[in-house]
Amino acid sequence: MNDTSTFDDLRNRLVDEIITKRPLPAPIERALRTVRRDLHLPGLDPADAYTNRAVTIKDNPDGPLALSCASVPSTVAMMLAQLAPQPGDHILEVGAGTGYNAALLAELVGHEGKVTTVDIDPGVVLHARQALNRTGYEHVRVMEHDGLKGAPQHAPYTRMIATVGLWDVPASWWQQLADGGRLVLPLRWRGQARSVALTRQGDTLVSDGMELCGFVPIIGQTGERTTELADGTVRLHHDQDQPVGPDQLAEVLSTPPIELWSQARVGSEETFDGIWLRATASDDAVCRIEVTSKALDEGVRCPAIPGRSPALVSGSSLAYLIAERDNADPERPSRLGAAGYGPDGAALARTLIAHIAAWSADRAAAPHMTIHPAGTADVTLPEGHAIDKEDSRVVLSFAMART
């Protein structure tokens, strides 16, 4: 297939699909209709290049997650809308991928703007450089560089965007983002992730939006931990500051769970990840549980989503989100509850039910987030729930929440 009009039709059809579900600012829609994603994915059938899915460009020999991939186009569009690039902006992108996102950024900042994209993997850098040259974006700067260090030689930047998952905002980025500049990154905390849009206000990053997302994690950040239970068939994914370990939880799944049910119900296509997000704004026991098919076969109670459901852990006890379809309400056929294990399993399950109820009362609500440099004194932090990371302190609050 080499008919340019056919490529245009495929691309426009994809953009039409994206904007039907999420309207976009006109400049971003134009950029998506202009940049050819297929030329950043050579060898892939054009029909596949213009489907709304991620494409792996480099496998990871050491794990299930790819080392690099072309992100889902609708997620790309969503993050560009969060970033809101303007003509003349100076942008740093961390995670070069295929070069496609950098090409979109180049369209958005225009001839007066500058785009620098960095990646730690030389093969990914080469792929991005060749694709950008092939598509007419030779002026985009592509660097083989550790993204955790940014690119200080070309700072300051008016906008920065990460297309890899971050557990923390690296200390090196603070001085590279201009005051008043904007940062968009897929940030992980308490086992879940959101694409967070932030503006630098002096020594504080202030959020004005969060969107559900999932990205390959950046190389070099090790703040997340995995605790294996039941011979590795159940895994808890948690932050380094959370006292979760296999010793106290070794027997937690050995007895039947206590099940409690909330009044909240969800539709077949309705997301309930907001329960998780809501809980992280007040509860340090929150993490992620992953239950394999082997564990399910051996009798472990199925979480709401086996691979990624919110859980609460305290001492030798555990509770996690469960769902059950009963069709009592055709529009919302599934009810939500909690399964508790261990001596305090019932209490943890009741706490999780309270988180479900709080979410259900305002399902679109998202917490307000501020991020502060590590070492910021407690007395100077705003009101809210603080989570400490290596290079920063994150504060979440629903008192100042924006939806």
Side-chain angles (χ1 to χ4, degrees):
M1 180 186 299
N2 55 18
D3 185 345
T4 301
S5 64
T6 301
F7 288 119
D8 291 344
D9 289 344
L10 290 170
R11 187 165 59 258
N12 286 324
R13 191 177 307 147
L14 172 61
V15 178
D16 290 342
E17 176 187 341
I18 292 171
I19 64 175
T20 296
K21 297 178 180 178
R22 181 192 294 269
L24 294 170
I28 294 174
E29 181 181 338
R30 284 196 298 270
L32 290 167
R33 293 189 188 279
T34 300
V35 177
R36 287 187 57 175
R37 189 175 188 245
D38 61 288
L39 294 180
H40 290 263
L41 295 167
L44 190 69
D45 187 301
D48 292 329
Y50 290 111
T51 55
N52 196 32
R53 65 179 182 87
V55 177
T56 296
I57 63 171
K58 185 158 189 176
D59 291 319
N60 184 353
D62 300 319
L65 296 176
L67 281 176
S68 184
C69 68
S71 299
V72 178
S74 58
T75 301
V76 170
M78 174 268 291
M79 293 182 69
L80 288 175
Q82 287 183 305
L83 188 66
Q86 301 299 311
D89 269 334
H90 187 191
I91 298 182
L92 174 65
E93 177 192 36
V94 175
T98 65
Y100 173 67
N101 199 60
L104 292 168
L105 290 169
E107 284 287 333
L108 291 164
V109 303
H111 295 298
E112 300 302 316
K114 298 178 183 178
V115 176
T116 300
T117 184
V118 302
D119 204 286
I120 198 171
D121 188 288
V124 171
V125 169
L126 179 61
H127 181 118
R129 178 71 278 163
Q130 291 176 337
L132 287 162
N133 290 348
R134 186 165 52 244
T135 52
Y137 299 97
E138 298 90 345
H139 57 290
V140 172
R141 184 184 291 115
V142 184
M143 300 173 60
E144 182 184 334
H145 204 266
D146 182 354
L148 293 176
K149 298 178 181 178
Q153 57 270 58
H154 303 296
Y157 302 98
T158 55
R159 279 168 170 74
M160 297 172 63
I161 184 170
T163 55
V164 285
L166 277 294
W167 180 79
D168 196 2
V169 178
S172 61
W173 290 13
W174 287 84
Q175 298 308 315
Q176 296 179 42
L177 181 65
D179 197 10
R182 196 159 175 81
L183 168 64
V184 172
L185 77 164
L187 185 64
R188 300 185 65 82
W189 70 96
R190 302 305 189 230
Q192 55 92 61
R194 290 291 189 280
S195 178
V196 184
L198 303 136
T199 299
R200 182 177 177 184
Q201 298 178 6
D203 289 333
T204 304
L205 296 171
V206 181
S207 75
D208 59 25
M210 296 181 186
E211 298 282 355
L212 189 64
C213 70
F215 276 82
V216 174
I218 198 168
I219 295 172
Q221 285 191 339
T222 57
E224 289 185 296
R225 303 284 186 267
T226 298
T227 294
E228 295 189 345
L229 308 176
D231 296 324
T233 62
V234 175
R235 306 179 189 96
L236 296 172
H237 302 275
H238 54 94
D239 291 338
Q240 63 181 15
D241 66 311
Q242 295 177 291
V244 179
D247 293 340
Q248 73 265 30
L249 292 166
E251 303 299 323
V252 71
L253 299 171
S254 61
T255 57
I258 295 171
E259 294 188 8
L260 301 178
W261 294 96
S262 74
Q263 298 300 309
R265 307 182 66 88
V266 292
S268 300
E269 302 299 322
E270 188 175 5
T271 179
F272 41 80
D273 282 271
I275 298 167
W276 204 338
L277 179 61
R278 164 71 70 165
T280 68
S282 62
D283 196 334
D284 281 326
V286 185
C287 61
R288 172 166 70 94
I289 191 167
E290 175 190 0
V291 178
T292 66
S293 57
K294 182 177 181 182
L296 296 176
D297 291 341
E298 293 175 353
V300 174
R301 177 65 165 89
C302 184
I305 301 175
R308 47 174 303 276
S309 288
L312 304 181
V313 177
S314 178
S316 57
S317 299
L318 164 70
Y320 54 81
L321 185 70
I322 58 176
E324 183 175 83
R325 190 180 182 94
D326 63 13
N327 295 316
D329 180 348
E331 293 187 1
R332 287 181 164 168
S334 296
R335 60 176 182 163
L336 300 175
Y341 288 88
D344 295 322
L348 286 177
R350 286 193 294 273
T351 300
L352 184 50
I353 292 295
H355 290 315
I356 295 170
W359 161 79
S360 187
D362 186 357
R363 299 189 180 195
H368 183 66
M369 173 186 284
T370 57
I371 303 179
H372 312 260
T376 301
D378 288 347
V379 294
T380 65
L381 293 178
E383 180 182 351
H385 182 70
I387 299 174
D388 288 327
K389 294 178 176 282
E390 292 284 351
D391 292 335
S392 68
R393 306 192 72 187
V394 176
V395 179
L396 297 162
S397 172
F398 271 92
M400 299 175 61
R402 302 173 185 179
T403 58

